[in-house]
Amino acid sequence: MATVGMPTLASVLQQINLGVVLLDAEARVHFWNDFMAVNSGTRAETAVGQLLFELCPEVPELWIKKKLESVFTLENMAFSAWQQRPHLFDFAGSRPITGQAQKMFQNATFFPLREEGGAITLVCLALTDATDIAVQQLALAELNQLLQAEKDEQTRLIKRLEETQAQLLQSEKMAAIGQLAAGVAHEINNPVGFVNSNLGSLKGYFDEVFAVLTEYQTLIAAQGNPELDSAVQALNKKADVDFLTQDIAELIRESQGGLDRVKRIVVDLRDFSHVDSSEWNMADLHHGLDSTLNVIWNEIKYRVEIIKEYGDIPAVEAIGAQLNQVFMNLIINASHAVGEGGHIWLRTGTQDGEVFVEVRDDGCGIDPDNLNRLFEPFFTTKPVGKGTGLGLSLAYSIINKHHGRLTVDSVVGEGSRFTVWLPQRQPAAAAEADA
Ligand SMILES: Nc1ncnc2c1ncn2[C@@H]1O[C@H](COP(=O)(O)OP(=O)(O)O)[C@@H](O)[C@H]1O
Ligand SMILES: [Mg+2]
């Protein structure tokens, strides 16, 4: 029951805070409310009768026609959300909360209007202002992106920290071993020195004693006393003086040989550990390989044959002790891979100005899936207690520090080849800064 002064439904539609447009199948405007008029700057009198895409050129003609067609044929609603089409109409932002929202974000709903007879003649386009929500969501998305970036950065940092710690652990271990080796070498050096010198004296003294003995025998023989002669012969026979003379000399020679070996080992241990020098020098790689081999010889000599194929290479600017660690890790890995009766080839040479050291084995080879994980810290296929997974990662970082490369190729069941490539000289500043 209508009362006087009661607003009509049409006036509600006219004034509601929502865009309301009635369109026919051609997209011709039949109704244009205040919201549309205020925001577009086109009054209803002008708008009605015009084609929407001509009235508002920012609305794509094809797109709007498709929307209308679908509503007319399917007799159902259609939507356009701000996420897909943020600014269907080029309206200014109604609430510029932040500087970002220059334009109004809009959601649009298209719904069919049925005449009383049942036929659909018009479609209503209802347009809502989604600026507030859109701005908040966009800000959130941006924040999320920032957080994600930060998280990625943290993950990267943590990984680097882990690597660095692993390297620290390993190099600390190596330094400790180096120090121990150098200490032992030093301690052994003194006793070996005096035993060696004593042996030398002993040899001289024995020579003299034997000379005196011989002299005695000659003097006794000159006496022409058969009793004395046979007594001397009996004594000689009992003590087997001939044998003693020979064997004592032999024993002393052997002992001196043994001492020489001990001395060599001491020198190798010192060379290998180089505790006193973590400095850049011109390193003789063959020397490094040999002293490394001597140090690990015990671990490998009964199982593996080492074949040296040393080429003609120049000295290389390097921290010798660190390169020795690399060689040691590669050779020990190879010895693990070959097992009993295997072969390890150590080949050196130069190519395109780089010096290379190749450690090749005819061992088990490496699964292609593992090839690009080898240098990760803690990557190991060995049982707990045998492998730490640090050898190759340490080798990699040492070679990196030397501005070189560490490459690997391998065929499962045939063997593996690790190649250390080194520049002959370090880039000028690097040698000082990195040391
Ligand atoms: N010469 C090789 N032949 C076959 N596999 C190898 C060889 N060298 C390294 N690997 C593989 O790479 C892994 C990582 O080596 P490494 O970093 O030295 O750690 P670890 O020897 O402690 O396992 C080994 O567990 C092994 O699977
Ligand atoms: Mg190893």
Side-chain angles (χ1 to χ4, degrees), residues 91-135:
F91 294 169
S94 48
R95 268 154 275 170
I97 304 172
T98 69
Q100 296 169 303
Q102 303 289 344
K103 290 185 178 184
M104 185 197 292
F105 287 84
Q106 299 139 21
N107 288 326
T109 311
F110 299 81
F111 56 94
L113 295 177
R114 236 172 249 287
E115 278 194 348
E116 272 177 37
I120 295 170
T121 46
L122 290 176
V123 165
C124 176
L125 159 57
L127 194 75
T128 54
D129 179 354
T131 309
D132 286 358
I133 286 179
V135 166

Side-chain angles (χ1 to χ4, degrees), residues 3-18:
T3 328
V4 181
M6 177 81 173
T8 60
L9 279 181
S11 74
V12 173
L13 279 186
Q14 193 66 49
Q15 291 166 50
I16 197 169
N17 184 25
L18 185 75

